[in-house]
PDB file of all heavy atoms in Angstrom:
ATOM      1  N   ASP E  38      14.865 123.337  77.947  1.00 60.00           N
ATOM      2  CA  ASP E  38      14.535 124.225  76.849  1.00 60.00           C
ATOM      3  C   ASP E  38      14.559 123.560  75.470  1.00 60.00           C
ATOM      4  O   ASP E  38      14.413 124.227  74.440  1.00 60.00           O
ATOM      5  CB  ASP E  38      15.530 125.427  76.792  1.00 60.00           C
ATOM      6  CG  ASP E  38      15.467 126.262  78.068  1.00 60.00           C
ATOM      7  OD1 ASP E  38      14.353 126.375  78.671  1.00 60.00           O
ATOM      8  OD2 ASP E  38      16.535 126.704  78.544  1.00 60.00           O
ATOM      9  N   ASP E  39      14.766 122.293  75.466  1.00 67.00           N
ATOM     10  CA  ASP E  39      14.943 121.634  74.187  1.00 67.00           C
ATOM     11  C   ASP E  39      14.111 120.351  74.080  1.00 67.00           C
ATOM     12  O   ASP E  39      13.778 119.698  75.102  1.00 67.00           O
ATOM     13  CB  ASP E  39      16.467 121.223  74.076  1.00 67.00           C
ATOM     14  CG  ASP E  39      16.928 121.147  72.635  1.00 67.00           C
ATOM     15  OD1 ASP E  39      16.080 121.351  71.740  1.00 67.00           O
ATOM     16  OD2 ASP E  39      18.100 120.903  72.432  1.00 67.00           O
ATOM     17  N   ASP E  40      13.756 119.985  72.887  1.00 67.00           N
ATOM     18  CA  ASP E  40      13.005 118.762  72.630  1.00 67.00           C
ATOM     19  C   ASP E  40      13.981 117.682  72.143  1.00 67.00           C
ATOM     20  O   ASP E  40      14.610 117.838  71.056  1.00 67.00           O
ATOM     21  CB  ASP E  40      11.979 119.035  71.532  1.00 67.00           C
ATOM     22  CG  ASP E  40      11.208 117.781  71.109  1.00 67.00           C
ATOM     23  OD1 ASP E  40      11.341 116.768  71.785  1.00 67.00           O
ATOM     24  OD2 ASP E  40      10.406 117.907  70.181  1.00 67.00           O
ATOM     25  N   PRO E  41      14.178 116.622  72.925  1.00 67.00           N
ATOM     26  CA  PRO E  41      15.160 115.600  72.527  1.00 67.00           C
ATOM     27  C   PRO E  41      14.782 114.871  71.219  1.00 67.00           C
ATOM     28  O   PRO E  41      15.620 114.263  70.583  1.00 67.00           O
ATOM     29  CB  PRO E  41      15.172 114.629  73.694  1.00 67.00           C
ATOM     30  CG  PRO E  41      13.849 114.909  74.398  1.00 67.00           C
ATOM     31  CD  PRO E  41      13.516 116.291  74.164  1.00 67.00           C
ATOM     32  N   TRP E  42      13.481 114.959  70.815  1.00 69.00           N
ATOM     33  CA  TRP E  42      13.028 114.303  69.586  1.00 69.00           C
ATOM     34  C   TRP E  42      13.047 115.254  68.432  1.00 69.00           C
ATOM     35  O   TRP E  42      12.414 114.970  67.374  1.00 69.00           O
ATOM     36  CB  TRP E  42      11.684 113.725  69.800  1.00 69.00           C
ATOM     37  CG  TRP E  42      11.696 112.559  70.747  1.00 69.00           C
ATOM     38  CD1 TRP E  42      11.506 112.603  72.139  1.00 69.00           C
ATOM     39  CD2 TRP E  42      11.943 111.192  70.449  1.00 69.00           C
ATOM     40  NE1 TRP E  42      11.597 111.364  72.641  1.00 69.00           N
ATOM     41  CE2 TRP E  42      11.867 110.479  71.680  1.00 69.00           C
ATOM     42  CE3 TRP E  42      12.240 110.503  69.253  1.00 69.00           C
ATOM     43  CZ2 TRP E  42      12.077 109.097  71.757  1.00 69.00           C
ATOM     44  CZ3 TRP E  42      12.427 109.181  69.362  1.00 69.00           C
ATOM     45  CH2 TRP E  42      12.331 108.447  70.570  1.00 69.00           C
ATOM     46  N   ARG E  43      13.624 116.400  68.559  1.00 69.00           N
ATOM     47  CA  ARG E  43      13.539 117.467  67.517  1.00 69.00           C
ATOM     48  C   ARG E  43      14.026 117.008  66.146  1.00 69.00           C
ATOM     49  O   ARG E  43      13.513 117.527  65.151  1.00 69.00           O
ATOM     50  CB  ARG E  43      14.328 118.709  67.933  1.00 69.00           C
ATOM     51  CG  ARG E  43      15.833 118.488  67.905  1.00 69.00           C
ATOM     52  CD  ARG E  43      16.577 119.695  68.452  1.00 69.00           C
ATOM     53  NE  ARG E  43      18.004 119.371  68.598  1.00 69.00           N
ATOM     54  CZ  ARG E  43      18.527 118.670  69.613  1.00 69.00           C
ATOM     55  NH1 ARG E  43      17.773 118.271  70.631  1.00 69.00           N
ATOM     56  NH2 ARG E  43      19.822 118.416  69.615  1.00 69.00           N
ATOM     57  N   ASP E  44      14.898 116.040  66.080  1.00 72.00           N
ATOM     58  CA  ASP E  44      15.411 115.546  64.818  1.00 72.00           C
ATOM     59  C   ASP E  44      14.657 114.345  64.217  1.00 72.00           C
ATOM     60  O   ASP E  44      15.055 113.803  63.201  1.00 72.00           O
ATOM     61  CB  ASP E  44      16.878 115.244  64.926  1.00 72.00           C
ATOM     62  CG  ASP E  44      17.748 116.438  65.200  1.00 72.00           C
ATOM     63  OD1 ASP E  44      17.374 117.546  64.780  1.00 72.00           O
ATOM     64  OD2 ASP E  44      18.782 116.310  65.887  1.00 72.00           O
ATOM     65  N   ASP E  45      13.659 113.898  64.945  1.00 78.00           N
ATOM     66  CA  ASP E  45      12.971 112.673  64.534  1.00 78.00           C
ATOM     67  C   ASP E  45      11.470 112.787  64.848  1.00 78.00           C
ATOM     68  O   ASP E  45      10.979 112.242  65.834  1.00 78.00           O
ATOM     69  CB  ASP E  45      13.551 111.456  65.235  1.00 78.00           C
ATOM     70  CG  ASP E  45      13.150 110.135  64.519  1.00 78.00           C
ATOM     71  OD1 ASP E  45      12.171 110.152  63.769  1.00 78.00           O
ATOM     72  OD2 ASP E  45      13.904 109.167  64.692  1.00 78.00           O
ATOM     73  N   ALA E  46      10.729 113.555  63.975  1.00 83.00           N
ATOM     74  CA  ALA E  46       9.328 113.741  64.233  1.00 83.00           C
ATOM     75  C   ALA E  46       8.544 112.415  64.183  1.00 83.00           C
ATOM     76  O   ALA E  46       7.595 112.264  64.935  1.00 83.00           O
ATOM     77  CB  ALA E  46       8.763 114.741  63.189  1.00 83.00           C
ATOM     78  N   LEU E  47       8.912 111.512  63.282  1.00 86.00           N
ATOM     79  CA  LEU E  47       8.245 110.243  63.143  1.00 86.00           C
ATOM     80  C   LEU E  47       8.473 109.454  64.424  1.00 86.00           C
ATOM     81  O   LEU E  47       7.552 108.762  64.880  1.00 86.00           O
ATOM     82  CB  LEU E  47       8.677 109.505  61.919  1.00 86.00           C
ATOM     83  CG  LEU E  47       7.991 108.212  61.599  1.00 86.00           C
ATOM     84  CD1 LEU E  47       6.487 108.420  61.416  1.00 86.00           C
ATOM     85  CD2 LEU E  47       8.556 107.534  60.376  1.00 86.00           C
ATOM     86  N   GLY E  48       9.673 109.458  64.947  1.00 87.00           N
ATOM     87  CA  GLY E  48       9.974 108.736  66.156  1.00 87.00           C
ATOM     88  C   GLY E  48       9.119 109.266  67.303  1.00 87.00           C
ATOM     89  O   GLY E  48       8.618 108.531  68.090  1.00 87.00           O
ATOM     90  N   ALA E  49       9.031 110.580  67.445  1.00 85.00           N
ATOM     91  CA  ALA E  49       8.185 111.189  68.490  1.00 85.00           C
ATOM     92  C   ALA E  49       6.751 110.836  68.308  1.00 85.00           C
ATOM     93  O   ALA E  49       6.103 110.511  69.332  1.00 85.00           O
ATOM     94  CB  ALA E  49       8.348 112.725  68.447  1.00 85.00           C
ATOM     95  N   SER E  50       6.257 110.842  67.136  1.00 89.00           N
ATOM     96  CA  SER E  50       4.868 110.452  66.863  1.00 89.00           C
ATOM     97  C   SER E  50       4.636 108.953  67.240  1.00 89.00           C
ATOM     98  O   SER E  50       3.582 108.625  67.815  1.00 89.00           O
ATOM     99  CB  SER E  50       4.546 110.667  65.382  1.00 89.00           C
ATOM    100  OG  SER E  50       3.219 110.300  65.126  1.00 89.00           O
ATOM    101  N   ALA E  51       5.580 108.079  66.905  1.00 90.00           N
ATOM    102  CA  ALA E  51       5.458 106.658  67.188  1.00 90.00           C
ATOM    103  C   ALA E  51       5.415 106.481  68.708  1.00 90.00           C
ATOM    104  O   ALA E  51       4.638 105.649  69.207  1.00 90.00           O
ATOM    105  CB  ALA E  51       6.588 105.870  66.567  1.00 90.00           C
ATOM    106  N   LEU E  52       6.237 107.223  69.462  1.00 89.00           N
ATOM    107  CA  LEU E  52       6.277 107.115  70.882  1.00 89.00           C
ATOM    108  C   LEU E  52       4.954 107.568  71.482  1.00 89.00           C
ATOM    109  O   LEU E  52       4.438 106.953  72.377  1.00 89.00           O
ATOM    110  CB  LEU E  52       7.455 107.894  71.458  1.00 89.00           C
ATOM    111  CG  LEU E  52       7.669 107.733  72.963  1.00 89.00           C
ATOM    112  CD1 LEU E  52       7.946 106.263  73.330  1.00 89.00           C
ATOM    113  CD2 LEU E  52       8.852 108.587  73.438  1.00 89.00           C
ATOM    114  N   ARG E  53       4.434 108.668  70.998  1.00 90.00           N
ATOM    115  CA  ARG E  53       3.134 109.148  71.520  1.00 90.00           C
ATOM    116  C   ARG E  53       2.047 108.143  71.236  1.00 90.00           C
ATOM    117  O   ARG E  53       1.158 107.879  72.055  1.00 90.00           O
ATOM    118  CB  ARG E  53       2.758 110.507  70.852  1.00 90.00           C
ATOM    119  CG  ARG E  53       3.521 111.677  71.450  1.00 90.00           C
ATOM    120  CD  ARG E  53       2.950 112.993  70.975  1.00 90.00           C
ATOM    121  NE  ARG E  53       3.123 113.158  69.554  1.00 90.00           N
ATOM    122  CZ  ARG E  53       4.132 113.762  68.956  1.00 90.00           C
ATOM    123  NH1 ARG E  53       5.129 114.140  69.680  1.00 90.00           N
ATOM    124  NH2 ARG E  53       4.180 113.844  67.654  1.00 90.00           N
ATOM    125  N   GLU E  54       2.072 107.522  70.067  1.00 93.00           N
ATOM    126  CA  GLU E  54       1.000 106.519  69.743  1.00 93.00           C
ATOM    127  C   GLU E  54       1.175 105.300  70.584  1.00 93.00           C
ATOM    128  O   GLU E  54       0.151 104.761  71.044  1.00 93.00           O
ATOM    129  CB  GLU E  54       1.134 106.117  68.242  1.00 93.00           C
ATOM    130  CG  GLU E  54      -0.022 105.281  67.775  1.00 93.00           C
ATOM    131  CD  GLU E  54      -1.379 105.893  67.999  1.00 93.00           C
ATOM    132  OE1 GLU E  54      -1.527 107.131  67.960  1.00 93.00           O
ATOM    133  OE2 GLU E  54      -2.370 105.112  68.173  1.00 93.00           O
ATOM    134  N   CYS E  55       2.381 104.893  70.920  1.00 92.00           N
ATOM    135  CA  CYS E  55       2.564 103.801  71.861  1.00 92.00           C
ATOM    136  C   CYS E  55       1.955 104.139  73.202  1.00 92.00           C
ATOM    137  O   CYS E  55       1.319 103.318  73.880  1.00 92.00           O
ATOM    138  CB  CYS E  55       4.015 103.479  72.013  1.00 92.00           C
ATOM    139  SG  CYS E  55       4.710 102.586  70.602  1.00 92.00           S
ATOM    140  N   GLY E  56       2.160 105.357  73.656  1.00 92.00           N
ATOM    141  CA  GLY E  56       1.603 105.827  74.910  1.00 92.00           C
ATOM    142  C   GLY E  56       0.091 105.807  74.887  1.00 92.00           C
ATOM    143  O   GLY E  56      -0.591 105.381  75.846  1.00 92.00           O
ATOM    144  N   ASN E  57      -0.516 106.229  73.778  1.00 93.00           N
ATOM    145  CA  ASN E  57      -1.941 106.207  73.624  1.00 93.00           C
ATOM    146  C   ASN E  57      -2.469 104.773  73.679  1.00 93.00           C
ATOM    147  O   ASN E  57      -3.513 104.531  74.318  1.00 93.00           O
ATOM    148  CB  ASN E  57      -2.371 106.841  72.315  1.00 93.00           C
ATOM    149  CG  ASN E  57      -2.167 108.329  72.299  1.00 93.00           C
ATOM    150  OD1 ASN E  57      -2.145 108.987  73.345  1.00 93.00           O
ATOM    151  ND2 ASN E  57      -2.017 108.928  71.124  1.00 93.00           N
ATOM    152  N   ILE E  58      -1.804 103.876  73.035  1.00 94.00           N
ATOM    153  CA  ILE E  58      -2.244 102.448  72.993  1.00 94.00           C
ATOM    154  C   ILE E  58      -2.222 101.842  74.394  1.00 94.00           C
ATOM    155  O   ILE E  58      -3.108 101.204  74.855  1.00 94.00           O
ATOM    156  CB  ILE E  58      -1.437 101.638  71.996  1.00 94.00           C
ATOM    157  CG1 ILE E  58      -1.761 102.097  70.600  1.00 94.00           C
ATOM    158  CG2 ILE E  58      -1.671 100.149  72.193  1.00 94.00           C
ATOM    159  CD1 ILE E  58      -0.771 101.580  69.520  1.00 94.00           C
ATOM    160  N   LEU E  59      -1.052 102.043  75.098  1.00 92.00           N
ATOM    161  CA  LEU E  59      -0.866 101.561  76.430  1.00 92.00           C
ATOM    162  C   LEU E  59      -1.938 102.165  77.425  1.00 92.00           C
ATOM    163  O   LEU E  59      -2.496 101.456  78.214  1.00 92.00           O
ATOM    164  CB  LEU E  59       0.543 101.821  76.937  1.00 92.00           C
ATOM    165  CG  LEU E  59       1.622 101.008  76.250  1.00 92.00           C
ATOM    166  CD1 LEU E  59       2.956 101.493  76.655  1.00 92.00           C
ATOM    167  CD2 LEU E  59       1.480  99.488  76.617  1.00 92.00           C
ATOM    168  N   ALA E  60      -2.141 103.444  77.313  1.00 90.00           N
ATOM    169  CA  ALA E  60      -3.142 104.111  78.209  1.00 90.00           C
ATOM    170  C   ALA E  60      -4.526 103.548  77.916  1.00 90.00           C
ATOM    171  O   ALA E  60      -5.263 103.289  78.851  1.00 90.00           O
ATOM    172  CB  ALA E  60      -3.086 105.647  77.978  1.00 90.00           C
ATOM    173  N   GLY E  61      -4.864 103.401  76.692  1.00 90.00           N
ATOM    174  CA  GLY E  61      -6.162 102.843  76.314  1.00 90.00           C
ATOM    175  C   GLY E  61      -6.367 101.456  76.838  1.00 90.00           C
ATOM    176  O   GLY E  61      -7.478 101.129  77.384  1.00 90.00           O
ATOM    177  N   ALA E  62      -5.347 100.589  76.705  1.00 93.00           N
ATOM    178  CA  ALA E  62      -5.441  99.228  77.208  1.00 93.00           C
ATOM    179  C   ALA E  62      -5.583  99.217  78.775  1.00 93.00           C
ATOM    180  O   ALA E  62      -6.405  98.491  79.269  1.00 93.00           O
ATOM    181  CB  ALA E  62      -4.260  98.440  76.833  1.00 93.00           C
ATOM    182  N   TYR E  63      -4.843 100.084  79.389  1.00 90.00           N
ATOM    183  CA  TYR E  63      -4.899 100.171  80.870  1.00 90.00           C
ATOM    184  C   TYR E  63      -6.270 100.636  81.303  1.00 90.00           C
ATOM    185  O   TYR E  63      -6.885 100.030  82.234  1.00 90.00           O
ATOM    186  CB  TYR E  63      -3.807 101.077  81.397  1.00 90.00           C
ATOM    187  CG  TYR E  63      -3.959 101.356  82.876  1.00 90.00           C
ATOM    188  CD1 TYR E  63      -3.494 100.440  83.797  1.00 90.00           C
ATOM    189  CD2 TYR E  63      -4.542 102.513  83.352  1.00 90.00           C
ATOM    190  CE1 TYR E  63      -3.672 100.644  85.161  1.00 90.00           C
ATOM    191  CE2 TYR E  63      -4.693 102.723  84.687  1.00 90.00           C
ATOM    192  CZ  TYR E  63      -4.242 101.800  85.602  1.00 90.00           C
ATOM    193  OH  TYR E  63      -4.418 102.028  86.926  1.00 90.00           O
ATOM    194  N   LEU E  64      -6.832 101.660  80.689  1.00 86.00           N
ATOM    195  CA  LEU E  64      -8.117 102.149  81.038  1.00 86.00           C
ATOM    196  C   LEU E  64      -9.235 101.187  80.748  1.00 86.00           C
ATOM    197  O   LEU E  64     -10.168 101.032  81.547  1.00 86.00           O
ATOM    198  CB  LEU E  64      -8.402 103.500  80.382  1.00 86.00           C
ATOM    199  CG  LEU E  64      -7.441 104.635  80.854  1.00 86.00           C
ATOM    200  CD1 LEU E  64      -7.678 105.881  79.932  1.00 86.00           C
ATOM    201  CD2 LEU E  64      -7.712 104.950  82.297  1.00 86.00           C
ATOM    202  N   CYS E  65      -9.154 100.438  79.689  1.00 89.00           N
ATOM    203  CA  CYS E  65     -10.159  99.407  79.396  1.00 89.00           C
ATOM    204  C   CYS E  65     -10.077  98.273  80.472  1.00 89.00           C
ATOM    205  O   CYS E  65     -11.185  97.845  80.999  1.00 89.00           O
ATOM    206  CB  CYS E  65      -9.912  98.767  78.046  1.00 89.00           C
ATOM    207  SG  CYS E  65     -10.422  99.808  76.682  1.00 89.00           S
ATOM    208  N   ALA E  66      -8.893  97.916  80.874  1.00 92.00           N
ATOM    209  CA  ALA E  66      -8.764  96.908  81.924  1.00 92.00           C
ATOM    210  C   ALA E  66      -9.278  97.434  83.256  1.00 92.00           C
ATOM    211  O   ALA E  66      -9.963  96.668  83.989  1.00 92.00           O
ATOM    212  CB  ALA E  66      -7.297  96.476  82.058  1.00 92.00           C
ATOM    213  N   LEU E  67      -8.983  98.673  83.544  1.00 87.00           N
ATOM    214  CA  LEU E  67      -9.526  99.260  84.781  1.00 87.00           C
ATOM    215  C   LEU E  67     -11.014  99.347  84.763  1.00 87.00           C
ATOM    216  O   LEU E  67     -11.639  99.040  85.782  1.00 87.00           O
ATOM    217  CB  LEU E  67      -8.904 100.674  84.938  1.00 87.00           C
ATOM    218  CG  LEU E  67      -9.240 101.431  86.206  1.00 87.00           C
ATOM    219  CD1 LEU E  67      -8.747 100.712  87.439  1.00 87.00           C
ATOM    220  CD2 LEU E  67      -8.652 102.840  86.129  1.00 87.00           C
TER     221      LEU E  67
END
Side-chain angles (χ1 to χ4, degrees):
D38 300 325
D39 206 359
D40 177 8
W42 292 92
R43 69 185 173 280
D44 294 330
D45 197 338
L47 184 60
S50 178
L52 185 59
R53 282 191 297 272
E54 188 58 28
C55 287
N57 289 336
I58 292 167
L59 290 170
Y63 173 78
L64 292 172
C65 284
L67 182 62

